[in-house]
C-alpha cells in the first residue's frame, strides 16, 4: 500500500505547543535491535556465510530491503530479497513470541502520554505483521495509529513515514516530537521537520539543531517533551 503525504518544504509551524509524539519501535520502545541481528546471523550461517560484526551498524534501523540487500551483496549469498524477507520476519516473530523486553522507561512513558491525552503514533520500518505482534504486547490503546515500513512507498530514512503519521493525526510535523534510536530514523524525522529525541541503541548519535540526545527513555516525560517545543 502506498500513500501521498505533504512535501516537507510545504510544512510550517506557528506556536510552540506539542501536538503529538511519534515513536519508533525496535530499539526505542522494545529491546529488539539485537533480535534482528541474531536472526540475520543465523540465516546467513545456514546459507554458509559469516556476517562481519561491523556490518551491524550499517544495517541497524534501516528498512528490511536495504539491510537484507546489503547483506546479500556483501556475502554473495544465493538467495533473493523476497526469500530472505520471509525468513527474517519468521525468525523475528519466533524470537518475540518467546520474549519481548521493553526498553527502560517505555511503559511509564506510554502510560504518561495516554494520561495527558497526547496523540501518539508508532512509526516503524518493520512490516505490518511484525508491528501488530509487538502492539499486542505494548498495548494498542496507547497509540492513535501506526505506520509500517511496508505501507509506504519510501520508508526511513525518507521522511514519508513521519509525514504520513502527522497527516493522519491532523497535526503539524514541526510540532511533533519524534523519539528514535538510530541515525536512519533520526534522518527521517528531521527531514520531516520534527523535533527529535534520540535515544541511541547500537551506534552513537550526536546532538544537533532540533535534536536532543538522551541515554534512556527514563529521562523523557511529557514536561520534557513540551519543553523542547517551547525552546
Amino acid at each position: 500500500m502506498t500513500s501521498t503525504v505533504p512535501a516537507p518544504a510545504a510544512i510550517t509551524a506557528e506556536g510552540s505547543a506539542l501536538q503529538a509524539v511519534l515513536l519508533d519501535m525496535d530499539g526505542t520502545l522494545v529491546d529488539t535491535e539485537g533480535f534482528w541481528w541474531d536472526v540475520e546471523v543465523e540465516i546467513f550461517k545456514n546459507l554458509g556465510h559469516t556476517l562481519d560484526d561491523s556490518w551491524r551498524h550499517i544495517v541497524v534501523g534501516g528498512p528490511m530491503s536495504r539491510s537484507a540487500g546489503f547483506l546479500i551483496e556483501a556475502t554473495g549469498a544465493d538467495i533473493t530479497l523476497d526469500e530472505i524477507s520471509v525468513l527474517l520476519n519468521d525468525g523475528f516473530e519466533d524470537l518475540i513470541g518467546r520474549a519481548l523486553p521493553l526498553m527502560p522507561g517505555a511503559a511509564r512513558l506510554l502510560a504518561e502520554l495516554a494520561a495527558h491525552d497526547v496523540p501518539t503514533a508508532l512509526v516503524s520500518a518493520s512490516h505490518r505483521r511484525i508491528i501488530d505482534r509487538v502492539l499486542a504486547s505494548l498495548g494498542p490503546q496507547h497509540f492513535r495509529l501506526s505506520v509500517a515500513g511496508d505501507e509506504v512507498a519510501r520508508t526511513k530514512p525518507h521522511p514519508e513515514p513521519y509525514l504520513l503519521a502527522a497527516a493522519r493525526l491532523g497535526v503539524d510535523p514541526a510540532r511533533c516530537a519524534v523519539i528514535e534510536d538510530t541515525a536512519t530514523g533520526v534522518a527521517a524525522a528531521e527531514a520531516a521537520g520534527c523535533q527529535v529525541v534520540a535515544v541511541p541503541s547500537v551506534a552513537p548519535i550526536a546532538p544537533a539543531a532540533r535534536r536532543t540526545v538522551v541515554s534512556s527513555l527514563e529521562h523523557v516525560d511529557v514536561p520534557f517533551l513540551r519543553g523542547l517545543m517551547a525552546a
Side-chain angles (χ1 to χ4, degrees):
M1 182 174 70
T2 60
S3 54
T4 301
V5 295
I11 297 166
T12 60
E14 295 184 14
S16 59
L18 176 68
Q19 291 188 340
V21 176
L22 315 177
L23 300 109
D24 174 54
M25 188 177 76
D26 294 302
T28 299
L29 291 176
V30 289
D31 191 6
T32 50
E33 288 290 10
F35 285 16
W36 284 112
W37 180 248
D38 290 345
V39 172
E40 288 161 347
V41 167
E42 183 65 21
I43 289 172
F44 279 91
K45 179 182 177 181
N46 292 338
L47 293 171
H49 300 276
T50 300
L51 299 188
D52 190 316
D53 198 58
S54 66
W55 295 343
R56 183 176 181 180
H57 289 181
I58 298 175
V59 301
V60 67
M64 186 178 295
S65 57
R66 190 194 74 182
S67 58
F70 168 83
L71 294 174
I72 290 172
E73 183 175 353
T75 61
D78 184 19
I79 192 170
T80 68
L81 188 57
D82 287 343
E83 290 170 339
I84 201 168
S85 293
V86 172
L87 293 176
L88 285 168
N89 278 322
D90 286 348
F92 186 79
E93 279 196 87
D94 180 59
L95 286 181
I96 63 175
R98 302 180 209 171
L100 185 60
L102 299 185
M103 298 299 288
R108 188 267 315 154
L109 177 59
L110 291 176
E112 185 176 341
L113 290 168
H116 284 80
D117 199 28
V118 178
T120 306
L122 187 66
V123 183
S124 175
S126 291
H127 290 184
R128 171 53 60 186
R129 60 180 281 197
I130 298 298
I131 287 181
D132 286 345
R133 285 289 301 275
V134 174
L135 275 173
S137 295
L138 283 176
Q141 72 276 10
H142 292 304
F143 304 94
R144 299 279 181 91
L145 58 89
S146 58
V147 176
D150 56 344
E151 295 174 340
V152 292
R154 296 158 296 186
T155 189
K156 304 173 187 179
H158 195 277
E160 182 176 344
Y162 283 113
L163 292 172
L164 178 60
R168 287 181 174 173
L169 288 172
V171 298
D172 183 347
R175 294 169 69 179
C176 293
V178 167
I179 304 179
E180 273 280 0
D181 72 302
T182 67
T184 298
V186 166
E190 290 181 341
C194 303
Q195 179 76 47
V196 178
V197 178
V199 191
S201 59
V202 176
I205 299 174
R210 293 186 62 79
R211 181 197 310 166
T212 302
V213 180
V214 298
S215 60
S216 167
L217 289 179
E218 293 178 319
H219 301 298
V220 181
D221 56 20
V222 171
F224 172 83
L225 295 171
R226 287 176 173 161
L228 294 179
M229 290 296 164

